[in-house]
């Protein structure tokens, strides 16, 4: 779930600085100065132990923003200018989504159970007596201590302590991951297991040190926009209604002012999804299927592929709104580069597998582009909304929006929705139970990995509450204007 904190502010600042340098034609000579500018000598304030570590971390964060995986960062003397040169020359972005900034990932404890000073060193020793790995001993002060090398984080010691002196201290990214895809390596650095990861992005927003980064495609997008002979078309997710304090017409107009050939709302593709989803549900119910689940959220689809294979037979074959919108854009602009813009990290993976999507850019990156290229959302540059788009397509941005759209388009469909609002460990287990038993309280399970829906994607501009209010306000204005 996205919210605004200082690590996000730093990331957005880095993106905006990169965009500004690119726009001014100074990317090569300016990048290596960014760490020095953000962590100047004799700085009165530093969030790290010293400015030198701060500079290293800033450099390491810029590398994935340039579109490179930090696992390949083996030469610490290689300049950011060298990475920029490679980024400007490459034909295609890398196919890895997330990377960990090693230097920033050093502060979380290895084991999750900690003995506090409340320990009385009691004679009963229930923590030590009940530890299955004999990981608890006594220090010089007569208090219990846990050996992190042998502790298996079972929590028995905490449950038996009569003084509640042992507490659970989760590693935020590990705790947030719904599928256990992130763990520490032998050096205490978090590593993401690609075979388990569903690209939900929860680890990004959970990490208090901003050590988990996306491998951005913003350089590739800017290159395409600036290339005079190249058409570049933006397809914008319905969640855009909850991303800016401006009318949607002004936002779309600002996107076009960046240099895009055309701007198409993905809500147009959502209309197609709704039609197909409703028809498919009717067919499945007629064939006596107990239920069908949605297929719009790529993180959920990935979770099924990797962790809930029993659910595959229940997933809709209907494609996502992005797929249909990209198809529409490709027919209209056969030689264009198609750029999906949304709040979702998992859409990067879906875009890699869609022949009609060339790049994926997040709303966070879009805002940085507006700032770096000094593009304002002005009324005189607004774009009229596509009148052929039915508003139920714009409802996809919120949790429950797909079911709402099906009901609105085809009210005669006997739909009994079950809304799974956000994925966590408990809901993954719940979905496993649905798949195993073939039983649930409804016949149409709508799953969104992000609580609140796409409005709350990990690369959104606002916290879920603010984003939801903006979305509802802007959608209401569109409906009332008709």
């Amino acid at each position: 779930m996205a919210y605004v904190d200082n690590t996000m502010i730093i990331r957005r600042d880095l993106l905006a600085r990169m965009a500004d340098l690119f726009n001014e034609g100074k990317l090569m000579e300016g990048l290596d100065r960014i760490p020095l500018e953000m962590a100047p000598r004799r700085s009165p304030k530093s969030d790290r132990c010293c400015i030198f570590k701060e500079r290293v971390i800033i450099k390491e964060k810029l590398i994935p923003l340039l579109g490179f995986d930090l696992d390949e960062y083996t030469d610490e003397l290689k300049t950011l200018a060298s990475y920029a040169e490679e980024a400007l020359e490459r034909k295609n972005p890398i196919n890895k989504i997330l990377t960990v900034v090693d230097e920033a990932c050093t502060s979380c404890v290895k084991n999750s159970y900690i003995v506090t000073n409340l320990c009385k060193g009691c004679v009963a020793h229930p923590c030590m007596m009940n530890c299955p790995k004999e990981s608890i001993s006594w220090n010089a002060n007569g208090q219990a201590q846990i050996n992190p090398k042998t502790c298996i984080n079972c929590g028995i010691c905490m449950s038996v302590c009569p003084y509640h002196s042992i507490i659970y201290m989760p590693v935020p990214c590990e705790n947030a991951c719904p599928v256990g895809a992130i763990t520490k390596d032998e050096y205490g650095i978090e590593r993401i297991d690609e075979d388990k990861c569903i690209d939900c992005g929860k680890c990004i927003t959970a990490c208090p040190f901003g050590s988990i980064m996306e491998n951005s495609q913003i350089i590739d997008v800017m290159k395409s926009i600036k290339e005079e002979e190249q058409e570049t078309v933006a397809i914008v997710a319905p969640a855009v209604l909850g991303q800016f304090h401006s009318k949607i017409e002004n936002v779309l107009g600002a996107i076009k002012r960046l240099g895009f050939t055309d701007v198409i709302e993905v809500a147009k593709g959502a209309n197609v999804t709704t039609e197909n989803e409703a028809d498919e549900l009717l067919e499945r119910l007629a064939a006596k299927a107990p239920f069908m689940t949605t297929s719009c959220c790529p993180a959920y689809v990935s979770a099924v592929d990797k962790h809930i294979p029993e659910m595959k037979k229940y997933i809709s074959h209907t494609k996502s709104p992005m797929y249909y919108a990209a198809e529409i854009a490709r027919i209209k602009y056969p030689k264009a580069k198609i750029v999906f813009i949304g709040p979702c990290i998992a859409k990067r993976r879906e875009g890699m597998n869609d022949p009609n999507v060339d790049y994926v850019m997040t709303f966070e990156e879009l805002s940085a582009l507006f700032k770096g290229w000094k593009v304002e959302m002005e009324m005189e540059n607004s774009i009229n909304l596509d009148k052929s788009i039915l508003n139920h397509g714009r409802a996809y941005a919120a949790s429950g929006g797909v079911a709402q759209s099906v009901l609105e388009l085809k009210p005669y469909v006997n739909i009994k929705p079950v809304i799974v609002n956000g994925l966590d460990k408990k809901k993954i287990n719940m979905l496993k139970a649905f798949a195993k038993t073939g039983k649930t309280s409804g016949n149409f399970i709508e799953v969104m990995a992000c609580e609140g829906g796409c409005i709350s994607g990990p690369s959104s501009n606002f916290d879920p509450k603010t984003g939801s209010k903006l979305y509802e306000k802007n959608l209401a204005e569109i409906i009332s204007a008709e």
Side-chain angles (χ1 to χ4, degrees):
M1 183 181 294
Y3 57 94
V4 177
D5 64 18
N6 194 50
T7 63
M8 289 188 178
I9 291 171
I10 292 169
R11 185 169 69 241
R12 292 168 186 179
D13 187 23
L14 290 173
L15 284 165
R17 286 170 183 260
M18 274 178 49
D20 180 37
L21 289 171
F22 187 99
N23 194 43
E24 296 294 326
K26 299 177 180 178
L27 187 65
M28 304 286 286
E29 58 264 42
L31 269 178
D32 284 297
R33 302 206 64 81
I34 290 179
L36 305 179
E37 292 167 355
M38 294 183 69
R41 185 180 292 275
R42 298 186 180 88
S43 174
K45 179 181 177 296
S46 176
D47 293 322
R48 313 284 176 180
C49 60
C50 64
I51 62 166
F52 304 107
K53 183 169 183 176
E54 190 79 59
R55 289 173 181 177
V56 169
I57 290 173
I58 292 169
K59 178 183 178 180
E60 288 193 7
K61 287 187 175 184
L62 281 166
I63 292 170
L65 294 183
L66 286 165
F68 296 97
D69 182 19
L70 277 171
D71 285 346
E72 300 174 3
Y73 176 53
T74 55
D75 183 1
E76 294 185 24
L77 295 181
K78 184 175 178 179
T79 64
L80 289 170
S82 298
Y83 283 104
E85 184 177 9
E86 291 178 26
L88 293 173
E89 291 177 354
R90 69 173 172 239
K91 300 299 181 184
N92 297 299
I94 64 172
N95 61 2
K96 191 174 179 183
I97 308 296
L98 297 173
T99 192
V100 178
V101 180
D102 288 16
E103 290 298 330
C105 183
T106 55
S107 298
C108 293
V109 294
K110 182 178 179 181
N111 57 311
S112 299
Y113 291 90
I114 307 294
V115 180
T116 70
N117 286 332
L118 292 174
C119 177
K120 302 299 182 182
C122 63
V123 176
H125 295 180
C127 56
M128 183 180 73
M129 299 296 292
N130 288 281
C131 178
K133 293 296 180 180
E134 298 182 353
S135 297
I136 298 178
S137 58
W138 304 93
N139 62 23
N141 295 326
Q143 293 180 317
Q145 61 184 12
I146 299 173
N147 183 351
K149 293 182 179 179
T150 56
C151 174
I152 58 173
N153 292 315
C154 65
I156 292 174
C157 57
M158 184 178 77
S159 65
V160 299
C161 177
Y163 293 105
H164 304 288
S165 66
I166 301 175
I167 62 170
Y168 174 67
M169 182 180 289
V171 177
C173 60
E174 294 180 11
N175 195 50
C177 180
V179 292
I182 184 165
T183 54
K184 288 187 180 297
D185 64 13
E186 65 270 28
Y187 303 107
I189 305 299
E190 296 295 335
R191 291 288 173 245
I192 298 169
D193 187 339
E194 294 289 324
D195 293 331
K196 293 181 179 180
C197 180
I198 62 174
D199 304 310
C200 65
K202 293 180 185 291
C203 56
I204 291 178
T205 56
C207 178
F209 291 91
S211 63
I212 303 172
M213 302 283 289
E214 294 176 74
N215 296 318
S216 177
Q217 298 174 7
I218 193 170
I219 291 288
D220 307 272
V221 174
M222 292 191 293
K223 279 164 49 184
S224 183
I225 292 173
K226 291 292 188 182
E227 191 175 332
E228 291 184 5
E229 302 300 319
Q230 177 64 61
E231 291 181 321
T232 308
V233 176
I235 56 173
V236 187
V240 69
L241 293 170
Q243 302 300 315
F244 299 96
H245 290 291
S246 296
K247 292 181 180 293
I248 181 62
E249 295 90 341
N250 295 355
V251 177
L252 299 180
I255 293 173
K256 189 164 186 181
R257 278 198 65 209
L258 288 169
F260 284 97
T261 308
D262 197 2
V263 182
I264 297 171
E265 287 188 77
V266 171
K268 194 176 185 74
N271 288 162
V272 182
T273 296
T274 303
E275 185 83 34
N276 294 344
E277 198 90 310
D279 290 343
E280 187 177 354
L281 178 61
L282 282 172
E283 290 174 8
R284 292 201 181 209
L285 294 180
K288 305 301 181 183
F291 59 80
M292 182 180 84
T293 84
T294 53
S295 57
C296 298
C297 175
Y300 164 62
V301 173
S302 182
V304 169
D305 286 340
K306 296 180 179 181
H307 303 280
I308 324 173
E310 305 90 347
M311 186 66 85
K312 283 187 180 181
K313 61 184 177 182
Y314 297 114
I315 285 190
S316 168
H317 296 141
T318 296
K319 302 296 185 181
S320 73
M322 182 186 85
Y323 175 91
Y324 294 117
E327 197 172 53
I328 291 167
R330 180 64 67 205
I331 291 170
K332 189 174 181 181
Y333 300 98
K335 295 183 179 180
K337 295 289 187 182
I338 309 298
V339 181
F340 173 82
I341 304 177
C344 181
I345 290 170
K347 282 294 181 184
R348 290 199 193 276
R349 183 75 63 197
E350 184 183 346
M352 290 172 187
N353 297 324
D354 189 331
N356 290 322
V357 176
D358 295 284
Y359 308 121
V360 172
M361 184 166 69
T362 66
F363 286 130
E364 187 175 67
E365 291 167 340
L366 176 64
S367 295
L369 209 49
F370 284 151
K371 182 178 179 181
W373 289 16
K374 300 174 178 58
V375 171
E376 301 291 338
M377 295 177 197
E378 300 166 347
M379 185 62 107
E380 58 266 26
N381 294 308
S382 64
I383 291 179
N384 293 328
L385 298 184
D386 185 341
K387 297 298 182 183
S388 70
I389 296 175
L390 302 177
N391 282 320
H392 65 74
R394 297 184 175 104
Y396 271 60
S399 181
V402 183
Q404 176 188 332
S405 299
V406 172
L407 284 167
E408 184 178 327
L409 183 66
K410 298 189 176 182
Y412 55 84
V413 176
N414 184 28
I415 180 174
K416 298 176 183 176
V418 175
I419 308 302
V420 180
N421 182 18
L423 285 180
D424 54 26
K425 295 177 179 69
K426 288 184 179 179
K427 288 175 182 173
I428 290 287
N429 288 332
M430 180 183 71
L431 288 166
K432 286 181 179 179
F434 289 166
K436 185 176 181 180
T437 63
K439 294 179 181 179
T440 182
S441 59
N443 57 21
F444 186 74
I445 304 176
E446 178 182 333
V447 186
M448 292 276 200
C450 298
E451 188 175 341
C454 300
I455 306 164
S456 308
S459 296
S460 298
N461 284 332
F462 297 109
D463 63 274
K465 186 176 180 180
T466 302
S468 182
K469 285 183 177 180
L470 278 172
Y471 166 76
E472 291 171 5
K473 173 179 174 290
N474 287 325
L475 185 58
E477 288 180 357
I478 292 171
I479 295 171
S480 63
E482 292 183 345

